[in-house]
Each structure stands twice: as C-alpha cells, then as structure tokens.
Amino acid sequence: MDASEALKRIEALSREIEEHNYNYYVLAQPTISDFSFDMKLKELSELESQFPEYAFDDSPTKRVGGDITKEFATVAHRFPMLSLSNTYSTEEIMDFQQRTNRMLGDSEVEYICELKYDGVAISLTYENGKLVRAVTRGDGSQGDEVSNNARTIRSIPLRLKGNYPDFFEIRGEIFMPHKAFNQLNRIKEEQGDKPFANPRNAAAGSLKLQDSSMVAKRKLDCFLYYVSGNDLPFKTHHESLMAARGWGFKISDHTKSCKSISEIQEFIDHWDKERHNLSFDIDGVVIKINDFHQQEELGFTAKSPRWAIAYKFKAEQVSTRLRYVSYQVGRTGALTPVANLEPVQLAGTTVKRASLHNEDIINKLDLHEKDTVHVEKGGEIIPKIVGVDITQRDDKSEKIRFIRECPECGAQLKKNEGEAAWYCPNEFACPPQIKGRIEHFVGRKAMDISSLGEGKLDILYQKGLIENIDDLYQLKSDELLGIEKSYKDEEEGKERIVRFREKTVQNILDAIEESKKVPFERVLFALGIRHTGETVAKTLAQHFGSIDKLMEASEEDLTNITEIGPKIAESVSEYFGSERNQKIIENLKNAGLKFEIDVIEKKTNTVKPQIEGKKFMVSGIFQNFSRNGIKETIEEAGGINQSSLSSKTDFLVAGDKMGPSKKTKAEKLGITILDENEFINMLEN
C-alpha cells in the first residue's frame, strides 16, 4: 500500500470508528460487536505506525491514550467560565424570576431546566470541526489544559459532523458513571490503595493523571450543556444544544422548557426523587433563560451570570458528637471557629471538621461542650452544623464561649462595629496572617507565582527568608539551594520531603521575575486590602490610574466612586495610612512591579478626554459591537463601566431590546441616554 492509499484508508477508518464511538457512547445504540470494533481500531493503529505522518491529533487511536503530560499548562479562557449562583428554595427561585422580570420589563420569558451534573467543568474548543483544546474551569478566567486526557473520553467528539461554526467553545461536565466508579474502587482496594470518596473526586483525580493511557481506562463520560462563540447563528439556548447534538456531542435528554415557577418546581421535585435511579451523580437542577438576547440583556455580575441559577438539592444530614472547638486565623486577622467532630460518613466523605463561621452562629446554636450535633454539607461541599440535639446533652456540660485572645500570638481580639467577626490586630507579627497574606499575594488571580505553593512558602517563612510580600523579590539562588524539610502528608499519612534543588530554585526565581509584568489592578488586588476583591481593585485602578494617586485619596474621594462604599473606603484608607504598608509598597516599586495603568498596552493607545473618568452603563443588543466590545472600548478610552444605574452614572448606552425599566430609571435620574450611533459619534468627536 502506497502513501496515498494509506491516507484514504486511514481517513475512511477514522470516520467509521468515530461513528461507531458516537453510536455506542452517545446514542447507546451500538451497531457492531466489540470484536469488530477492536479489529478496525487495530488496523488503524498499524497503518498509523507504518505511516506516522498521517497519525493526526484527531485520530480515534488517541482515545487509548499514551501521551504523557508532566505539567498541565495554564490557559486563559476566551469566554470566562463563571460559576452559578446557588439557590435552595422555591422562594429563592421566585426571587430570581422577579429580578429577571424587573430587568426585562414586559418581555415573555422561557426557562430551560437541566440536570446539574456532579463532576468536573470543562471547556472544549473546536476549530474547523476539530478538537484543539480542553481546559478545566480553574478560577473561571483561566484553567489547566487537559487536552491529551480529554481525547480519551469516547463521548467527546474529536472531529465534528454536519454544519458547524468555524470556531466555538462548548462547556460541559466530565463525570465518572457509578459502574466505572465502583469498578475503579474495587481495583484500588485489591491493590491496597485508598479508594476514592465519591465519583466527583475520582473524575477530578483521573483528569489530572499524567499518563493519558491511565485516563482512558477510567471510563470517564461527558455531557455538554452550553455553546459559546462570537456571531453564532442561534436565537435560543435550546436551539444551540440541538445543533450541537447534530454535530456529534452528547446532549442530555433530561431537559424541560418551562414558563412558570410551578413547572420549574415540578421538574425539580421529579429529579430530586429520580436522581437515585440515574447511572451518574447530580446534585441539583440548573435553570437558564432560553433566549440569547435576553441573556445578553441580563448580563453578568462579577462572579456569575444573571440569566441562570442552580437549585441545589437538600443536603444529606447526619449526627455526631462535638469533640472541641478550635480557631483559625485568616490573612486579614479574622478568626473562624471550627467544630472538631467525631468522624462520620456524610455524602460519600468522612467529615471530621465543620465551620462555625463566627460567634453569632455559636450563640444561635447554643452550643455546649460534647454536644450531639446535626451536620450537613452546605451545597454538598462544605460541612456545617445546622442544629443541636439537646436531648443528648449532659446537664453538666458548659456553654462554648468565643475566645478573646488570638490562639496564635496571644493578642487581645477586637470586633468592629456592625461586623460579626472578631479580629487579631497584630497583623505584622501573627504568623497565620503573615503567611496568609503571602499566599494570597502569589495566588493565580493575583501575582500568579505558581512555583511557590503553600508548602514551599511555609518552609521559607520558617527559615526566616520571608516575613512580608516584598521579601519575595529579595530572594537569592544561593540562600534557596539545598533547603529541605520533611512533613507529614495528612491525606496519605506518609512522611514526605520538600527539597529546593537547582531546577526548583530556578523555577521559583523565574516565576517571581515574570510576576513583575502583572498589570496594576492585579497588583492592587494582590496587596490583600480588606474588602478589596478583584472587581473593587480594578475599579480603583481604573479610577485613579496609579498607586500614588490612590494613596493620596481621602475617604470622601473614595466614596464618591459609585462602586465604593464607606466600609471599603475606610479599609483602603487604613491600609495606606500604615507606615509599614507604605514601606512595603516602596520596596515593591523598587523591585519593578507595576503600580500604574499602562496606557501603552491599551488597544486605542489613547485616552479620550470626552470619555475619561465618565461612568457608563451599557445595555441591549448592538449592530457594530458586542456588549463586551463596547465596554472594552469605554475602558480603553478611560471611561468606567458600571453594572447598574445610579445617580452617579453619566451615560446609558442603549441598544435594541433594552428593558424599558432601565430607560425609565435613567430618565428619572437625569442620565444622558446614547444610542449606538451617538456613542460612536462621541468616540470620534
């Protein structure tokens, strides 16, 4: 067989095998025997070995794995993977409906209800019909590329069929079916290994294995549930899913179109009972607005879309005995009480600890020593105490009283008026606060110094090499080389040793040097100022432009910014009023970190005076821009985007299908309303 004949046969076999994969793993309707399928796959593998130039990335042979991924690259999401807001009651669903109706005005709303799969969120990118990248959710803005491992999952198409867009992303959930999970745990137990606690953990662990051939043996599966892209030809979410099914994706049949709360509740009640009969785990129901124009109109908060929510099924609850209460000190000094419990099985995991949040919760529970407590997992993730069985209480047991001294440094605790938390004020000498600030500083959303994990930072702190965030930029190779420390892995119960070898040290120093390129708004977030999250840090950076101007601002200057309230203004002023913090910032400046907006990096290269400092709200559908495109243009020109209208808003940029309530509110507040052409004229003026 010559090369041209081999190519034709390889292409024919690839199409045929993928069709059989689709029939078996997506439709559950196999049309040939396993033996016949294996023979075709064997023939294809032999041809690719003979003609390696035709062993393409989308070949069905990639599904058996074999590629090794030693380090999973961090990849930015083209379209952010935001998490959904959770709800636990019909009343909260009604609140969601009322907010939606308020924002959309009189428009009729159709909801699509879907199952909420309990697995690992994944984003798949396709170009010209071929899978080119698979990325986990990560922090929503960037995640880990797991393409080699994703290719082993038979229900994920490597090559699409039908009339598909040239480029798009599709989101879904990778999960481990019950049958595969039980089989995997039997094997682990036979080998003397610790079994996985639940299918979700098994799926997550499998997806991060270095050897993709091992992933292939784990028999993972994947449902897809959302198509993302620019200029896609669909008007509704349901329409896009039906198209995706035609391209070869596994789309669940368990969806329902609903027009009312009663229909949504009926779907929820049905699957709350029927979920135990499924071959995979779900932990709730997702409710989405079907119309894409309405989704665009509703937009997003900083963390989640306004057009979807997740209803979480009631968590499993168990009873156990309280052993004692301990206290954790966070990076801001806030103390969190933790209930240490007699170990108990809950939702597939062994629970030994549960958060008590603050003093008010302890008092509300009327918690006593050695109480029998009711524990559940909030959202089936974080254990929490929801009640006490007072019939089991010893009459002599004493009430749990919140401590008044820091358990780490002995400082007297303080409590700010209007806040529930107690704080340790000894911020520069309390070890967990120091380490917590440094861990926050190096985090992915902040300076992204990924080579310095919690374990390495703890070692550097114990060795006296770092006491503040600015010390990181003074680290030298000769003082890091040769450091080693043993520690006990609590998960596996084994002693492990961390060694700072030459490659480890170089990776750390390279990552620290690379962090000097991080933009100002992320540096500001990395400082760890109380109440200053990512969104607030970005607002402050864009408003003031530099750290120097921000440090000069009074509390009144800060509260004049729409998104900044008195609490944030007070904490920002307090932070920059500290001489110690001023010195740290001076050291970070000298190290080369960015402390001002880099105008050169802006696409327009110019700040437009007619827009600079003005506050804009963007709403509706536009002809020449996407809504995000208009927002980016406003930011590049020096303007400030707002998520809602207020008396401080200067302009409302109104597109088609904007809710009438926004127009009414803008007119009432005296805000100038611009249509798309007026906005363009403003840009060009």
Side-chain angles (χ1 to χ4, degrees), residues 46 98 118 131 183 225 302 310 456 468 597 650 683:
E46 289 172 350
Q98 289 167 4
D118 196 11
L131 174 65
Q183 182 183 22
Y225 50 65
K456 292 190 180 76
N468 280 303
I597 294 289
D650 296 300
L683 276 176

Side-chain angles (χ1 to χ4, degrees), residues 640-659:
I640 299 167
N641 286 302
Q642 296 182 315
S643 58
S644 60
L645 292 171
S646 75
S647 59
K648 296 178 182 178
T649 306
D650 296 300
F651 298 100
L652 169 62
V653 185
D656 294 336
K657 299 191 177 182
M658 181 184 76

Side-chain angles (χ1 to χ4, degrees), residues 298-314:
L298 291 167
F300 303 83
T301 67
K303 296 181 179 180
S304 58
R306 291 194 179 95
W307 42 264
I309 56 169
Y311 177 90
K312 303 294 285 289
F313 293 135
K314 184 173 176 58

Side-chain angles (χ1 to χ4, degrees), residues 516-675:
K516 296 177 183 179
K517 299 177 183 177
V518 168
F520 173 37
E521 62 264 25
R522 278 176 53 195
V523 177
L524 186 57
F525 169 65
L527 295 178
I529 304 169
R530 285 187 66 208
H531 308 306
T532 305
E534 291 176 86
T535 304
V536 170
K538 186 174 183 179
T539 298
L540 292 173
Q542 290 177 343
H543 184 87
F544 291 101
S546 73
I547 195 77
D548 293 333
K549 290 183 179 178
L550 175 57
M551 291 173 74
E552 292 170 358
S554 65
E555 287 191 34
E556 184 180 356
D557 294 332
L558 291 165
T559 53
N560 282 334
I561 303 170
T562 303
E563 291 85 353
I564 307 301
K567 186 182 292 186
I568 296 173
E570 182 181 358
S571 66
V572 170
S573 292
E574 184 178 322
Y575 180 88
F576 290 121
S578 162
E579 291 185 11
R580 190 83 172 258
N581 289 332
Q582 292 170 13
K583 180 62 177 175
I584 288 172
I585 290 168
E586 189 63 31
N587 291 340
L588 293 175
K589 280 183 180 180
N590 293 335
L593 274 66
K594 292 187 176 182
F595 278 106
E596 61 182 10
I597 294 289
D598 193 346
V599 178
I600 296 174
E601 291 179 357
K602 293 179 180 294
K603 293 179 183 177
T604 59
N605 291 321
T606 57
V607 171
K608 298 183 180 294
Q610 66 272 30
I611 290 179
E612 184 179 12
K614 298 293 192 296
K615 300 175 181 66
F616 290 78
M617 168 72 186
V618 180
S619 182
I621 309 300
F622 301 91
Q623 297 294 319
N624 300 295
F625 298 88
S626 67
R627 185 148 58 173
N628 284 337
I630 284 190
K631 289 182 176 180
E632 288 175 7
T633 302
I634 288 168
E635 288 184 5
E636 288 164 2
I640 299 167
N641 286 302
Q642 296 182 315
S643 58
S644 60
L645 292 171
S646 75
S647 59
K648 296 178 182 178
T649 306
D650 296 300
F651 298 100
L652 169 62
V653 185
D656 294 336
K657 299 191 177 182
M658 181 184 76
S661 59
K662 282 195 179 71
K663 184 172 184 287
T664 302
K665 184 174 182 179
E667 290 172 342
K668 185 177 179 180
L669 293 171
I671 296 168
T672 302
I673 301 175
L674 304 174
D675 63 24

